[in-house]
Every structure is written in C-alpha cells, then in structure tokens.
Amino acid sequence: MRVLHICSELYPLLKTGGLADVMGALPFAQKEIGIDARILLPAYPAIAAGIGETAVVTEFDNFAGHVVLRYGEYKGVGVYLIDAPHLYAREGNPYHDQWYNDYADNYKRFALLGWVGAELATGLDSWWRAETVHAHDWHAGLTSAYLFNKGRPAKSVFTIHNLAYQGQFSYHHLFEIGLPEGMFHVNGLELHGQISYLKAGLYYSDAVTAVSPTYAKEITTPEFAYGLQGLLSTLQNEGKLFGILNGVDDQIWHPNNDTYIDDHYKLKAMTGKRKNKEKLQEYFNLPQNPDALLFVMVTRLTEQKGVDLLIDSVEQIVEQGGQLAILGSGAPHLEGALKTLALRYPENIGIKIGYDEALSHLIIAGGDVILVPSRFEPCGLTQLYGLKYGTLPLVRATGGLADTVVNSTSENIKARIATGFVFNDATREALCGAIHNAFALWQKQRLWFSVRTVAMEQDFSWQISAARYRDLYHHIWAE
C-alpha cells in the first residue's frame, strides 16, 4: 500500500502547531505496520536543511514557475521536497511574514503543493506512484481537486486538523492555478464567492477525517462548522466523515526517556516527577513547595484555547495557595493580562511569552495539573502528554478533550477510569468548579495517586491511529 502524505510542517524540522507533531509521527508509525508511506513538503529552508542530501526526481515548469522535485529520507521515511526558492525560501513561519501578514502568493504556494501531490499519483516519479494521497489541512486541500480534474487516478483522504483555517482566496486566482472554471461553484471549490482550499479537500476527497470522534460530530453543527455544516452533514450521512484520534510519539513524549528532562520517571518510580516540579518552580521563581498544587499550561494564547477564561479564574488558584506556570504566545491583550497577573501574584504565577521546546517538556513533566480549557479543540495533544506524564488534565468537554479525559467523580475514581477534571460550559463559573475539584482531590493524596496511575496507564500510541488509517484506506479502496 503506497500512501503519500501531503502537508506543510514536519516536527521537529518545522513546527507552528499540532499538525507538525502529527506529521512527525503518523507516517513513521505507518511504516512500522507495513505501509509504504512517504511525505510531500515544500522545501522550506528548515525542512531542506533537516532532510539533508537529496536526489533530483524531475524538473518542470508550470503555473508556479520553474520547480525541481527532490527526494530524500528522514528517519527511514521517504520525503519529496518541492524545491521552488521563489515560493518557499523564506525564513520563519511558512504562512506569513514577521508582521503576521499572510504572504500574498499563498494561493500559488499551496496550489503547487496540491498539484505536485496529484502528479505523484500519475507518474511524476517514474519509480514510485502513490495509490492513496492523504492531504492534511487547507494547505494541501487542492490535492483532491487536481486528482478529480485528472479523472481520479488515486484514492484520496483529507484530514481536518482545524476547520477554523480554510485557505480562502479570490476567484480570479482560479485562472492562475490550472483548474477549470467549471469547478468553481457551490458543488465544488466555491465558498462565499471565493476559492476555498479547505472545501476542495472536503468536497473532492473519497474520505474525510477529523482528528477525534467528538470533533467529527461537532463540525456538523453550526457552532463548530464555520459555514460548512451542510457539506459536512452530507459527508456524515454518506458515511464519508470519520473521526480518528491522534496519538502520542513515545520516542519524544515519555517521562522515562524524554531527552529534554534530566530527571526521568515512570509508574512505581516517580521520584523524578518531584524533582522536575522543583526545577519548574525554580525556573519561574515560584516557592519550591512540594505541597502547592502546580497548574501548568502550554498553548497559543487565544480565546479558542480558553485563555481568557483562565485569566478570569486565576484568583481561584491563588486564594487556595496554588501555583500557575504558563508558556505561550498569541493575542497581545491576553499576553498583557497574563504579565499583569504575574506581577500582581509573583509567589503564585509565572509566565514566559514565546515558545521553548525544552521548557514545554519540563512544564509537562513538573506540573500537577495541565490546563486545556478550550472553547473547541479538534484533538489536543497537551492533554495526552499530561496523561503520559502523570500531570492530570483539566479540560473542557469538547472535541478530542472529551474523547480522552474522564472526570474524577467519586464513581469514576472507584471504577478506576478517572484520569483528570472535566467541565462542560465555557464559563468562568464552570472552570472555577473544575479547579475547585482539583484542589479537593489534591487534599486526598492517596486518591490523587490512584487517578494519576490510571492516567499514566492510558494508551494513545500512534500505532493505534496508524492501524485505523490503514483500515480506512482499505475501506475506500473496497468501495
């Protein structure tokens, strides 16, 4: 089974969010179960440097100019790189400049990604031809449209990592990217008078997946669908919409072999967690008190992530002697509010604006509770990391959070299924209630350790997800 993943990020070479983590794990897990999986990426400087030596597969000219297609390997998985320096040789973020302005030619940069993906199913590489193309998020959404325009020479899967980002561009660009005008209508590329790369992935693919079962259901409702509920409901009714949960890469995220922390630990040998807590408290200049309940958060600072709800609820933590350590960046008004709280409560709150991979591992290893109070969350990865590290997740019941965390009610604790703290409504009151429940369990250390044990025993490995995608590929080929 030859599968080509088409995407725009790859951990650890280039990362802006969870998509990179998925792409840095899923194809490699599929390789382990016998799938001939390869990856197609733009040759961003960081990607090209990380892949290293490559061979030229072919050169061509098309609507995007002169392009060289290269092939190399990364950790045993084949990688195609679209070498087009005039489009991709830009340092930093792959989507926008240092002022957060989208690149004006994004329509062309990501149309080329989809075009090459489709061509690799029709003989662009004379030695290898994709049987199934698996496109990820709007950046790769046109892949299925190009395949449709070529008579569907391969099967196609499109995965929604976050429906909020849709890749919409002006209609007149249609004539620059090699697709016929007849595909621009409501049953095709058109959305609100523009070309939607994400809608192209939804409409033209043989199967669509969301990154958790609950998110797959949520996106068929107006609240979560961003105007696409009609199409998504149709896909659901036709049996073409699936929810497959993301996994955790044990080679990167495991407290017993994490290369970013010095003090390793595992179930029945938890001393390292206490040492990581001490180091985390020291890093953020918080009192090194092992009895203080330490809440942590690693996130983009946006309303989607519920950061405003946390800001409104912080005093619930402070008044009970808890501590809070946050790593992230995002909306300036949220960054400012968190900085103000850290100045007001220096004994309780530590903030670092920005991103630091090593610090993120220490935070998750050293915390007691990891906060993920999102308004919506397609899958979420930090709560999965929290479970693995015995840092109990406190989450809102949405998307993948609802699928992976079981609330610590007395009944669930007794049944040994509780793994964290869950609240339902995106309100300050509901979040404060969950924080109160965390403090209440912390006062009963024997029960806390019991819940922590169950959390660390959960299995969200990528091998499980890889097998489910394999079953999906077989399903669409059997139709």
Side-chain angles (χ1 to χ4, degrees):
M1 181 183 293
R2 298 187 298 277
V3 176
L4 179 68
H5 290 277
I6 305 165
C7 56
S8 186
E9 302 180 26
L10 179 67
Y11 178 87
L13 305 182
L14 182 63
K15 173 179 175 176
T16 69
L19 171 62
D21 291 317
V22 174
M23 298 318 304
L26 175 58
F28 303 87
Q30 290 181 326
K31 190 88 170 180
E32 290 178 4
I33 62 171
I35 296 173
D36 183 1
R38 298 188 180 186
I39 307 170
L40 172 66
L41 291 151
Y44 300 119
I47 295 286
I51 299 301
E53 185 177 348
T54 58
V56 174
V57 175
T58 187
E59 298 188 39
F60 55 86
D61 293 279
N62 73 352
F63 61 81
H66 186 71
V67 178
V68 178
L69 183 66
R70 298 181 176 275
Y71 179 79
E73 286 197 357
Y74 186 68
K75 296 181 179 178
V77 169
V79 178
Y80 292 98
L81 296 180
I82 306 172
D83 189 0
H86 57 291
L87 296 178
Y88 303 129
R90 302 167 191 177
E91 297 294 338
N93 192 288
Y95 316 115
H96 55 70
D97 62 25
Q98 62 267 44
W99 298 284
Y100 286 87
N101 296 313
D102 289 347
Y103 293 121
D105 58 353
N106 272 352
Y107 73 92
K108 184 183 296 183
R109 299 168 78 231
F110 296 111
L112 178 61
L113 178 62
W115 187 91
V116 175
E119 292 295 317
L120 281 168
T122 58
L124 190 62
D125 181 349
S126 59
W127 296 96
W128 189 88
R129 182 177 299 190
E131 297 171 314
T132 302
V133 293
H134 189 157
H136 297 265
D137 261 358
W138 74 261
H139 328 108
L142 284 190
T143 306
S144 300
Y146 286 116
L147 284 170
F148 174 85
N149 195 44
K150 294 172 73 68
R152 293 191 165 177
K155 295 290 186 179
S156 57
V157 174
F158 181 71
T159 293
I160 307 162
H161 295 266
N162 192 334
L163 196 65
Y165 302 99
Q166 300 190 351
Q168 291 187 225
F169 300 98
S170 175
Y171 160 70
H172 72 264
H173 292 310
L174 185 68
F175 304 98
E176 302 176 57
I177 59 176
L179 288 171
E181 185 177 7
M183 292 177 69
F184 184 79
H185 49 74
V186 66
N187 293 318
L189 301 171
E190 187 270 334
L191 183 66
H192 306 310
Q194 294 185 297
I195 306 167
S196 169
Y197 285 31
L198 181 132
K199 186 187 175 189
L202 300 177
Y203 187 81
Y204 290 108
S205 296
D206 295 295
V208 173
T209 72
V211 289
S212 69
T214 294
Y215 190 59
K217 296 173 184 174
E218 288 177 338
I219 58 177
T220 64
T221 67
E223 181 182 358
F224 293 95
Y226 291 90
L228 290 164
Q229 62 267 25
L231 174 56
L232 289 161
S233 295
T234 298
L235 292 172
Q236 183 184 55
N237 293 335
E238 292 177 349
K240 292 183 176 181
L241 177 60
F242 304 85
I244 299 177
L245 197 66
N246 285 338
V248 173
D249 188 343
D250 283 352
Q251 301 302 309
I252 299 168
W253 291 99
H254 195 291
N256 201 37
N257 59 22
D258 190 323
T259 58
Y260 288 103
I261 61 175
D262 295 325
D263 301 295
H264 295 129
Y265 61 94
K266 59 184 177 180
L267 273 175
K268 299 183 181 179
M270 296 291 291
T271 302
K273 185 160 185 65
R274 176 180 55 78
K275 293 179 179 178
N276 282 294
K277 183 174 181 176
E278 290 173 359
K279 289 182 177 179
L280 184 58
Q281 290 169 325
E282 179 183 15
Y283 181 92
F284 282 101
N285 295 313
L286 299 172
Q288 289 180 277
N289 177 7
D291 296 326
L293 181 57
L294 177 53
F295 294 82
V296 297
M297 193 179 203
V298 181
T299 188
R300 283 183 290 111
L301 301 178
T302 65
E303 276 82 3
Q304 180 221 318
K305 297 295 186 179
V307 177
D308 55 319
L309 298 177
L310 177 60
I311 290 169
D312 291 341
S313 308
V314 154
E315 291 188 357
Q316 179 79 3
I317 295 174
V318 173
E319 289 172 359
Q320 298 184 67
Q323 297 175 339
L324 173 63
I326 297 180
L327 170 64
S329 63
H333 68 286
L334 296 176
E335 290 183 1
L338 289 170
K339 289 177 182 176
T340 299
L341 287 169
L343 290 172
R344 185 183 305 165
Y345 304 113
E347 298 284 297
N348 302 89
I349 300 175
I351 306 295
K352 179 170 181 181
I353 301 300
Y355 189 72
D356 182 322
E357 186 71 23
L359 179 58
S360 72
H361 285 247
L362 178 61
I363 286 174
I364 292 171
D368 298 310
V369 176
I370 186 161
L371 296 160
V372 196
S374 303
R375 283 183 167 80
F376 70 92
E377 194 64 62
C379 177
L381 289 171
T382 54
Q383 88 279 8
L384 298 181
Y385 302 154
L387 292 167
K388 181 72 69 176
Y389 284 69
T391 304
L392 302 186
L394 190 157
V395 307
R396 181 167 173 259
T398 184
L401 306 177
D403 291 324
T404 55
V405 182
V406 178
N407 197 24
S408 294
T409 62
S410 57
E411 295 81 6
N412 289 341
I413 293 172
K414 186 176 181 179
R416 290 190 56 79
I417 59 173
T419 57
F421 310 96
V422 182
F423 67 100
N424 292 312
D425 299 325
T427 64
R428 174 190 178 278
E429 292 73 22
L431 175 53
C432 284
I435 292 171
H436 172 78
N437 292 341
F439 275 105
L441 188 63
W442 184 251
Q443 299 306 314
K444 304 172 182 177
Q445 284 288 288
R446 185 181 61 81
L447 290 182
W448 183 278
F449 294 148
S450 173
V451 173
R452 189 174 70 182
T453 297
V454 175
M456 294 179 72
E457 289 174 341
Q458 300 304 300
D459 184 3
F460 292 104
S461 69
W462 270 112
Q463 284 67 31
I464 296 172
S465 304
R468 288 176 179 160
Y469 278 113
R470 177 191 59 197
D471 293 344
L472 175 61
Y473 302 151
H474 284 309
H475 171 73
I476 61 176
W477 271 103
E479 289 185 326

